[in-house]
Amino acid sequence: MNQNINNIAVLTSGGDAPGMNACIRAVVRTGIFNGANMFGVKQGYQGLIDDNIIPMDARSVSNIIHLGGTILKTARCKPFMTEEGMQTAYNNLKARNIDGLVVIGGDGTFTGAKIFSEKFGVKVMGVPGTIDNDLFGSDFTLGYDTAMNTVIEAIDKIRDTADAHDRLFFIEVMGRDSGCIALRSGIASGAEAVLLPEKQTSIDELVNQLEIGALTKKSSSIVIVAEGHKAGGAYDIAKKVKERFNHYDTKVTILGHLQRGGSPSSADRILGSRLGFAAVNELFKGTTAAMVGLRGNDVKVTSLDEALTEHSFKLEDDLLEMTKVLSI
């Protein structure tokens, strides 16, 4: 262990994700177990600038593992991306002799951490926390499993009313640049079609697929739309389809921020605990400017530079093929 690390702070930044509290708990208790003083930063990088930094002990993180959101709150902070903002943040860390920082978030969070580490020599470890599951270096990110379960539960309920009324539902899920949620929820819920940012699906193709379903006497249809699809959001696509295919009564549901909330699944509680534990131990080893992630069933370390520059998550070919084969 690197005994130069005596004081560690943890923050959550960007969008919240279920499992963040489990990770905070693991970070705080792992640090304390190894003799470090622990601090929590409220509202992400904004808290570093505002000096909103609080000491934390083992009881500070009691009874939070089951909670969604983040007890440290989160915020997006443009001032942190300026030289002046980072200098203020660094001064506040140095005033408390904080020599290690764990940041939980997505690519925006890691971009800030990378620059901060390079400019000021701050020892930083990242934990991938985003429901989009779109960070290189980890098979799964914090919050993704819970978000998937939330989406599937909602679709199952919508399917009941769609079937009762011979309806066609367009359901929009989160995923501006990544179709992970849309693809897997489509498979798990038995959707008739899935529209993804990574794969161009024309209105012609979609209408043709829905017409085949109608001819084979499907009583309802569900189309999952990732919010970043190039043809537009669910409302735009539903309007275009309705102009050409009016077999069903057409409805649109936007799941929105419902996908971010809720008690984390067991998978996210365990993932958050594993990655928080690993992040602190890596700091003690002297690792910095890196991210801990899950590959296979092992925790691996990826540099922040690689995590950001290799920012592509390839969707599984078999799942893409299944969206057509299983929807007939």
Side-chain angles (χ1 to χ4, degrees):
M1 290 292 183
N2 183 347
Q3 297 305 313
N4 291 328
I5 300 290
N6 298 305
N7 302 289
I8 300 173
V10 57
L11 63 82
T12 51
S13 175
D16 62 295
M20 282 184 165
N21 285 323
C23 188
I24 293 167
R25 174 179 178 270
V27 167
V28 170
R29 291 188 172 177
T30 303
I32 291 170
F33 183 86
N34 286 283
N37 299 308
M38 301 302 299
F39 297 84
V41 182
K42 291 290 193 76
Q43 295 187 310
Y45 292 128
Q46 188 64 53
L48 284 184
I49 293 173
D50 295 340
D51 198 24
N52 195 359
I53 304 170
I54 59 172
M56 300 187 78
D57 59 23
R59 299 290 77 79
S60 301
V61 291
S62 295
N63 300 319
I64 68 168
I65 196 169
H66 63 291
L67 300 177
T70 161
I71 64 163
L72 291 177
K73 310 300 182 184
T74 183
R76 290 180 169 85
C77 180
K78 289 185 179 179
F80 185 73
M81 299 310 294
T82 67
E83 185 80 31
E84 182 182 4
M86 285 196 178
Q87 183 66 61
T88 300
Y90 176 72
N91 292 342
N92 289 332
L93 287 179
K94 292 307 293 180
R96 288 175 170 76
N97 296 314
I98 292 172
D99 38 32
L101 182 64
V102 176
V103 299
I104 308 166
D107 54 358
T109 301
F110 289 173
T111 299
K114 177 177 177 290
I115 297 170
F116 195 40
S117 179
E118 291 171 347
K119 288 193 176 210
F120 296 95
V122 178
K123 294 174 181 176
V124 179
M125 284 300 301
V127 175
T130 166
I131 68 168
D132 290 335
N133 199 42
D134 60 352
L135 280 169
F136 179 82
S138 190
D139 295 343
F140 298 103
T141 57
L142 272 185
Y144 175 60
D145 185 72
T146 305
M148 281 293 309
N149 288 330
T150 299
V151 169
I152 292 164
E153 182 181 359
I155 295 172
D156 286 348
K157 292 176 179 178
I158 290 169
R159 172 77 74 178
D160 290 342
T161 190
D163 189 59
H165 294 275
D166 289 338
R167 283 175 174 163
L168 165 60
F169 266 90
F170 289 85
I171 303 173
E172 185 176 298
V173 300
M174 284 184 168
R176 187 177 63 251
D177 302 309
S178 168
C180 284
I181 290 177
L183 178 59
R184 287 180 176 252
S185 66
I187 295 293
S189 63
E192 278 64 37
V194 181
L195 305 185
L196 309 166
E198 298 90 340
K199 184 176 181 292
Q200 186 60 43
T201 302
S202 69
I203 299 299
D204 287 342
E205 290 177 276
L206 179 57
V207 168
N208 181 62
Q209 196 168 342
L210 293 171
E211 285 177 340
I212 291 172
L215 288 172
T216 56
K217 304 190 184 309
K218 273 185 177 278
S219 60
S220 64
S221 285
I222 300 287
V223 177
I224 309 297
V225 182
E227 61 182 334
H229 190 266
K230 294 175 178 59
Y235 278 109
D236 292 332
I237 293 171
K239 182 179 179 182
K240 293 172 185 175
V241 170
K242 191 173 182 179
E243 289 172 354
R244 298 176 50 186
F245 177 74
N246 202 25
H247 178 81
Y248 300 109
D249 181 20
T250 302
K251 301 292 181 181
V252 176
T253 298
I254 311 293
L255 294 184
H257 285 79
L258 172 73
Q259 297 159 84
R260 287 197 186 278
S263 181
S265 65
S266 61
D268 276 326
R269 297 183 197 197
I270 294 166
L271 182 62
S273 299
R274 290 185 76 180
L275 297 185
F277 173 80
V280 173
N281 284 326
E282 288 298 328
L283 279 176
F284 284 133
K285 291 177 186 176
T287 309
T288 187
M291 177 196 91
V292 288
L294 194 68
R295 298 192 194 182
N297 195 36
D298 297 318
V299 176
K300 301 290 186 181
V301 176
T302 304
S303 71
L304 289 181
D305 186 60
E306 187 180 8
L308 291 166
T309 56
E310 299 293 330
H311 181 58
S312 59
F313 189 96
K314 187 176 182 298
L315 298 176
E316 298 91 335
D317 291 335
D318 61 328
L319 293 187
L320 289 169
E321 186 178 0
M322 284 164 63
T323 59
K324 287 188 176 180
V325 173
L326 302 187
S327 64
I328 61 173

